[in-house]
Amino acid sequence: MLKKSALLILSFLLLLLPHSITVYADTQVSSAIKSLSMEEAIQLALTNYVDIKLSQWNIAETDSKFSYVSSEEKKLEQKNVVTTSGLLPVNPDIFINSIPGYADLSEEEQAGVNQSILIQIMINTSLNQWVSAQNESQNSYNQETKTAQLKEFRDQLRTLETDKVINQLRLQKTEALIRYYAVQKYYQLSSLKKTIEYDKQESQYWFQQSEDTLRSYEHGLLSKRSLDDFNRKNIVRKSIFERNLRSYEAQLEQFKLELGLSSYSEVLLDDVISSTPEPVNCNTVISLSSNYDLREEDARITLAKDNLDAAKASDAELITYYSVLWSSQIAHKNIVQQQLEEKLASYKPEANEIDFEYSELKEQQLELVRVSQDNDTLLNSGLISAAQADQDKLDLLNLNRQFDKQKVKYGLFQAKVTLALSGVIL
C-alpha cells in the first residue's frame, strides 16, 4: 500500500513529460516548425477563411447580374418597336398605268375600266384604314410592353445597385470579424499555453510537497486519510494539466488548419501576453457613422426612397406600399442604432472593471512580494519553515497567473474596441 501511495505521489512528475517529448521530436525536424506572429495569423486568416471567399463570390455574382441587366436595358432602349405594314394603292394612275393599251381603248371602254378602278380604290381605302388601325394598336401594345420591360429592368437595377453596396459592406464586415477572430484565437491559445507553463512551475512545488507528505506519513506524522486526500488532489491536478495540454494541442491543430498551416509539425506563438500593456480606463470615442450595420440600413432606406420616387406615376396602392416600406426602413435603422448605442454603453463599465480588477491584483502582488522578502529573512533565521516560504512563492506564482489572465482579458477587450472602431460592434 505504501508503494502505491508513493507511486501516486511521484506520478505528478509526469506533468512535465508530454511537453518535453513533443519539443524533442519537433527539434529533429526544424524545417517543419513555424513561428507565427499575431499579424501573420491575421493575414493568413484573411487569405484562407472561406467566409471571405463566399463574400467575394457574392460580389462577383451581383456585379455580373448588374452588368447583364444593364446591357439588356440599353438594348431595349435602342430597340425600335414601331411596326409598319404596306398599304394598298389608292392612286388611279397606278391602276391605269398597269393596264396595257389603256390609251387605245374607246371612251366607253375606258369609262368601264375607270369604274372598276374606282371600286377597287374604295375597297383598298377601307382595307388601308383597317391596316392602319391594326398598326396603331400593335405599336401601342409594343410600346407599352417596352415601357413595362424597361420599368422591370430599372427596378432590378435599383435593387442590384443596393445589393452591390450591401455585399461590399458585408465583405468589409466579414474581414473585420475575421481579424477579430484571429486575434481572439491567438490570445486564447497564448493564454492556454501560459496556463500549462504555470502548471509545470506549480508542479515543482507540489512535487516537493509530495516528498514531504510521504516522509511525514512514513514517520507517523500524517494519517493515512490525509495521505490519500493529498494523492487524490494530485491526481486531479495531473488530470487538469493533461486536459489543458490536450485542449491546447487540439485547438492549435484546428487553428493551423484554418490558417493553411497544417503541413507544419509545430507552430510557435509569440508571447503576446507579456507585451500586452496594463489595463487603463478606456476613453476611446467610437463613432457610429462607420458602422457597417447602419450603413447597410442606409442603403436599404435609399432603395426604398428610390422605389417610392419611381412609383409616383403609378397607382395609389403601390405608392402607399412603398411609403410604408420607406418609413419601416427608417424605423428599423433607428432601432438598430439604439441597440448599438446600448452595446457601446457597456464598453466603458467593462473597461473600468478590468482596470479595477488589475489594480487590486497589483496591490496583492506588492503585499505578497513584501511578505516573500520578509519570509526569506525569517527562513534564513530559522523562524519559519521552508514549507511556509514555498507556499508564499506558490501564492505569488498563482497571482502572476491571475495577472496574465487579466492581461488577456484586456487584450481581448482592446481587440473588441478596435473592431468597433472599424465598424462592427459586438
Side-chain angles (χ1 to χ4, degrees):
M1 187 65 187
L2 183 59
K3 288 183 178 180
K4 183 178 179 181
S5 299
L7 286 173
L8 288 171
I9 294 173
L10 294 176
S11 67
F12 201 71
L13 271 175
L14 294 175
L15 288 173
L16 302 176
L17 293 180
H19 186 71
S20 299
I21 293 172
T22 302
V23 171
Y24 176 80
D26 289 338
T27 55
Q28 304 305 304
V29 192
S30 58
S31 61
I33 297 176
K34 168 71 175 175
S35 294
L36 182 68
S37 67
M38 183 183 288
E39 184 56 38
E40 186 178 4
I42 293 172
Q43 295 307 316
L44 286 171
L46 290 172
T47 302
N48 289 278
Y49 276 34
V50 294
D51 289 350
I52 292 283
K53 296 175 183 178
L54 287 174
S55 295
Q56 291 171 337
W57 276 114
N58 286 338
I59 289 175
E61 184 179 323
T62 303
D63 287 349
S64 177
K65 188 173 182 180
F66 181 88
S67 296
Y68 168 73
V69 174
S70 180
S71 174
E72 290 297 303
E73 181 211 22
K74 289 178 181 177
K75 285 192 290 186
L76 183 59
E77 280 182 336
Q78 297 169 359
K79 183 178 180 180
N80 182 14
V81 295
V82 176
T83 60
T84 56
S85 298
L87 299 178
L88 298 172
V90 292
N91 188 334
D93 292 339
I94 295 175
F95 292 97
I96 292 172
N97 293 333
S98 66
I99 298 173
Y102 177 83
D104 297 332
L105 296 176
S106 64
E107 291 183 0
E108 185 178 348
E109 290 174 332
Q110 287 182 351
V113 170
N114 289 342
Q115 184 65 31
S116 298
I117 291 173
L118 180 61
I119 294 172
Q120 187 61 51
I121 288 174
M122 292 175 62
I123 294 171
N124 286 359
T125 300
S126 178
L127 290 173
N128 284 344
Q129 290 175 346
W130 181 83
V131 169
S132 296
Q134 287 295 103
N135 283 341
E136 184 178 348
S137 176
Q138 184 63 47
N139 288 336
S140 177
Y141 173 78
N142 290 346
Q143 188 59 50
E144 288 176 1
T145 302
K146 177 180 177 179
T147 301
Q149 288 178 338
L150 284 173
K151 180 181 181 303
E152 184 178 341
F153 282 143
R154 287 160 187 165
D155 288 345
Q156 287 186 53
L157 287 173
R158 283 197 303 274
T159 301
L160 288 170
E161 187 69 48
T162 302
D163 289 344
K164 287 174 64 177
V165 173
I166 290 176
N167 285 339
Q168 192 63 47
L169 289 172
R170 288 180 177 176
L171 172 60
Q172 294 170 7
K173 181 178 179 179
T174 299
E175 290 173 343
L177 284 169
I178 285 176
R179 286 190 188 94
Y180 173 76
Y181 173 79
V183 171
Q184 183 186 52
K185 196 66 180 177
Y186 201 100
Y187 261 111
Q188 289 172 347
L189 284 168
S190 298
S191 179
L192 195 49
K193 183 180 177 183
K194 274 280 190 179
T195 295
I196 293 169
E197 291 172 0
Y198 278 119
D199 286 344
K200 288 194 290 184
Q201 293 179 51
E202 189 178 340
S203 70
Q204 298 172 10
Y205 166 82
W206 290 114
F207 176 66
Q208 182 61 49
Q209 289 295 105
S210 297
E211 290 184 328
D212 294 343
T213 300
L214 183 59
R215 193 176 299 112
S216 296
Y217 175 75
E218 291 171 342
H219 289 83
L221 301 176
L222 191 70
S223 68
K224 178 64 171 56
R225 181 174 181 178
S226 296
L227 178 64
D228 290 341
D229 286 343
F230 186 84
N231 287 340
R232 278 192 293 271
K233 290 177 182 178
N234 268 351
I235 292 172
V236 170
R237 293 186 191 99
K238 183 174 184 293
S239 176
I240 292 173
F241 173 84
E242 291 175 342
R243 185 170 66 247
N244 286 337
L245 184 60
R246 286 195 299 270
S247 177
Y248 174 75
E249 291 173 344
Q251 290 185 47
L252 184 58
E253 282 301 314
Q254 179 64 30
F255 198 44
K256 284 164 56 180
L257 179 64
E258 292 170 344
L259 299 182
L261 299 175
S262 55
S263 61
Y264 291 94
S265 62
E266 184 178 7
V267 170
L268 305 177
L269 306 180
D270 291 345
D271 185 6
V272 291
I273 299 176
S274 298
S275 60
T276 300
E278 293 186 359
V280 293
N281 287 319
C282 177
N283 295 314
T284 303
V285 177
I286 300 173
S287 172
L288 288 175
S289 61
S290 62
N291 183 265
Y292 293 119
D293 293 326
L294 291 182
R295 289 164 67 185
E296 183 175 330
E297 293 298 326
D298 284 336
R300 295 185 187 282
I301 290 172
T302 300
L303 174 61
K305 182 63 168 63
D306 289 344
N307 285 336
L308 175 60
D309 291 341
K312 290 299 184 182
S314 302
D315 60 90
E317 289 296 327
L318 185 60
I319 293 173
T320 300
Y321 166 69
Y322 279 131
S323 296
V324 172
L325 186 60
W326 179 39
S327 301
S328 173
Q329 291 293 349
I330 294 173
H332 192 270
K333 179 192 174 180
N334 292 335
I335 293 171
V336 172
Q337 181 161 344
Q338 181 181 347
Q339 292 172 334
L340 293 173
E341 288 172 350
E342 289 171 357
K343 289 180 180 179
L344 276 180
S346 67
Y347 278 35
K348 183 70 174 178
E350 184 178 354
N352 290 338
E353 181 183 355
I354 293 172
D355 181 52
F356 176 75
E357 291 173 353
Y358 194 83
S359 298
E360 282 193 325
L361 288 173
K362 286 187 71 173
E363 291 180 8
Q364 295 175 32
Q365 184 188 48
L366 290 173
E367 178 63 20
L368 273 178
V369 169
R370 184 189 63 77
V371 170
S372 180
Q373 290 172 346
D374 292 345
N375 284 346
D376 286 341
T377 303
L378 294 174
L379 178 63
N380 293 333
S381 302
L383 298 176
I384 62 170
S385 66
Q388 179 60 47
D390 287 342
Q391 178 62 48
D392 291 335
K393 292 178 181 177
L394 178 63
D395 291 342
L396 190 57
L397 177 69
N398 286 327
L399 186 62
N400 289 333
R401 185 199 297 261
Q402 293 300 315
F403 261 116
D404 282 345
K405 286 184 177 180
Q406 198 66 13
K407 292 182 80 171
V408 168
K409 191 175 180 181
Y410 181 59
L412 292 175
F413 176 75
Q414 282 185 313
K416 188 167 74 168
V417 170
T418 300
L419 181 65
L421 290 170
S422 73
V424 185
I425 298 174
L426 296 179

